[in-house]
Amino acid sequence: MLYSKRCIVTGAAGFIGSALTRLLLTETGATVLAVDKLTYAGVPESLKESGLDPATLSSSNPRLEFLKADICDQSAMDKAFADFRPDTIFHLAAESHVDRSIDGPGEFVRTNVVGTATLLQAALKWWKAHPGFVFQHISTDEVYGSLGAEGFFTEQTPYRPHSPYSASKASSDHLVRAWMDTYGLPVKITNCSNNYGPYHFPEKLVPLTILNCLEGKPLPVYGSGVNVRDWLYVEDHVRALLLVNERGKPGETYNVGGHNERTNLEVVETVCAILDELRPRADGSRYSSLITFVADRPGHDLRYAINPDKLMGDLGWRARENFDSGMRKTVQWYLDNEWWWRSIREKKYAGERLGAGRSISAPAASHVV
Ligand SMILES: NC(=O)c1ccc[n+]([C@@H]2O[C@H](COP(=O)([O-])OP(=O)(O)OC[C@H]3O[C@@H](n4cnc5c(N)ncnc54)[C@H](O)[C@@H]3O)[C@@H](O)[C@H]2O)c1
């Protein structure tokens, strides 16, 4: 049967939320209410191919509606539920960049913790009158902390977050489970490894590397580049989210990852090698000559790696892309879509170092109560 639910997607103008919205609109019969505050990371242009006019935020697609709103605004969230009448919510809105959480943790506590609690309250009221409703929470493997050279995160791994970002996401996961255990709200949680792919905001490692290469700028690698992440192509992630929504059991957690562990240095070198082939430098030098080792991120976790056996065994999920195929698609997308990243680079983020611990702002008191 065609999936035709009414879905709220929070954070829909972000990297993963826009990919999920595209998937829902192109491969299912779902109707989507895209909710986003449009922070610096919210890019309405990412929903252009889904039918959104980025200037007016009106949609030419009858199955897509956009609501500019803050998930911390209880009355706006209550109204969104009452007006849209969702069957489910995919909750992705978050402050998502570890480096920014080091410089200013307050917004992370506000959006990721208070915002999630606000949405849970709106969802709870809605679910009491509409029992088929499910709350799906999208989280990160960073809640589990850091691994040594061996082993994988499973759904049973105890939480041990280290950064303000991962601690705020861990808090949000706990809140979601608490609303199920205490009030009976049906919830599903996914914890995913590092994503990469089209429409990724240029402050993150992969797009930053691609764009710095194209502009002939240094390619910053933290520490000695040995930190390992488990890389997943964003479309594989959002297919997993849809599968969990359709077939996952309420109350369950599913880890999402594709067994693509790479050191940060390997990631940067891969991007360089693909660009050497697709867009050789005019002077014949290799892009890797731009690699520059910089001071490490404070509290930098050494290694993340996901065991996705539950998702694969119980729900039959498989990643379609491996690291090399996904990375090639990604580099090609940035080469073909300068219209998307050029204005972000010029107006929002030009590649400066974040999170070196230089400009720490404490959470405002109103954010933490
Ligand atoms: N990117 C990854 O590698 C990754 C991996 C695992 C999990 N996740 C999780 O997936 C989710 C999406 O990540 P992403 O990479 O797409 O992030 P992103 O930063 O690209 O997008 C976040 C979106 O949320 C919106 N937003 C922020 N604060 C808001 C608020 N108060 N109210 C409404 N909207 C708000 C922003 O405008 C933005 O559009 C996050 O919850 C993140 O923790 C991300």
Side-chain angles (χ1 to χ4, degrees), residues 114-176:
V114 179
T116 299
T118 307
L119 270 182
L120 285 164
Q121 282 298 78
L124 184 61
K125 277 181 232 161
W126 176 249
W127 166 71
K128 282 183 175 159
H130 302 87
F133 174 82
V134 169
F135 189 104
Q136 188 165 334
H137 178 60
I138 286 69
S139 192
T140 166
D141 61 354
E142 301 188 30
V143 298
Y144 298 125
S146 184
L147 291 165
E150 304 287 322
F152 297 93
F153 297 134
T154 72
E155 289 79 4
Q156 280 72 47
T157 303
Y159 278 28
R160 204 159 186 274
H162 294 124
S163 71
Y165 164 68
S166 54
S168 69
K169 290 298 291 187
S171 308
S172 68
D173 294 10
H174 291 318
L175 289 171
V176 172

Side-chain angles (χ1 to χ4, degrees), residues 10-18 35-43 69-72 77 91-97 107 110-112 115 137-142 165 169 190-196 199-201 203-204 237:
T10 70
F15 168 46
I16 303 172
S18 64
V35 176
D36 203 293
K37 182 183 171 185
L38 297 181
T39 67
Y40 81 94
V43 185
D70 187 334
I71 59 164
C72 299
M77 292 304 107
H91 173 35
L92 294 100
E95 286 292 336
S96 70
H97 189 35
E107 268 315 293
R110 198 185 84 88
T111 286
N112 301 359
H137 178 60
I138 286 69
S139 192
T140 166
D141 61 354
E142 301 188 30
Y165 164 68
K169 290 298 291 187
T190 52
N191 294 85
C192 187
S193 58
N194 276 50
N195 286 214
Y196 66 97
Y199 298 102
H200 204 181
F201 196 83
E203 67 189 357
K204 305 285 172 72
H237 182 194

Side-chain angles (χ1 to χ4, degrees), residues 127-336:
W127 166 71
K128 282 183 175 159
H130 302 87
F133 174 82
V134 169
F135 189 104
Q136 188 165 334
H137 178 60
I138 286 69
S139 192
T140 166
D141 61 354
E142 301 188 30
V143 298
Y144 298 125
S146 184
L147 291 165
E150 304 287 322
F152 297 93
F153 297 134
T154 72
E155 289 79 4
Q156 280 72 47
T157 303
Y159 278 28
R160 204 159 186 274
H162 294 124
S163 71
Y165 164 68
S166 54
S168 69
K169 290 298 291 187
S171 308
S172 68
D173 294 10
H174 291 318
L175 289 171
V176 172
R177 289 196 185 94
W179 257 247
M180 182 187 71
D181 295 344
T182 308
Y183 307 112
L185 180 72
V187 304
K188 300 177 184 181
I189 298 179
T190 52
N191 294 85
C192 187
S193 58
N194 276 50
N195 286 214
Y196 66 97
Y199 298 102
H200 204 181
F201 196 83
E203 67 189 357
K204 305 285 172 72
L205 179 65
V206 171
L208 179 72
T209 302
I210 297 170
L211 301 189
N212 278 13
C213 279
L214 295 180
E215 293 175 2
K217 291 183 176 164
L219 309 177
V221 174
Y222 292 173
S224 50
V226 295
N227 301 68
V228 172
R229 301 292 179 259
D230 188 351
W231 293 90
L232 187 68
Y233 192 62
V234 66
E235 284 176 18
D236 283 320
H237 182 194
V238 298
R239 283 181 200 287
L241 297 183
L242 184 57
L243 199 57
V244 168
N245 196 269
E246 282 182 291
R247 294 197 224 144
K249 283 199 196 125
E252 294 289 323
T253 294
Y254 297 88
N255 281 353
V256 190
H259 283 306
N260 283 301
E261 286 183 53
R262 296 288 188 283
T263 66
N264 287 346
L265 185 57
E266 284 169 336
V267 171
V268 173
E269 285 172 339
T270 301
V271 169
C272 288
I274 296 171
L275 277 171
D276 282 337
E277 191 190 320
L278 298 180
R279 183 71 61 88
R281 299 187 78 192
D283 65 3
S285 66
R286 301 268 175 207
Y287 284 104
S288 55
S289 64
L290 297 169
I291 290 175
T292 310
F293 293 94
V294 299
D296 208 352
R297 168 189 281 169
H300 203 175
D301 288 337
L302 177 65
R303 176 172 167 258
Y304 306 141
I306 284 273
N307 175 339
D309 285 356
K310 181 175 173 186
L311 181 69
M312 295 175 77
D314 291 3
L315 304 186
W317 176 83
R318 297 286 181 276
R320 295 185 180 185
E321 303 295 339
N322 60 36
F323 182 77
D324 294 320
S325 67
M327 208 48 89
R328 186 166 285 268
K329 278 190 174 179
T330 304
V331 172
Q332 188 65 57
W333 186 87
Y334 279 88
L335 289 175
D336 294 342

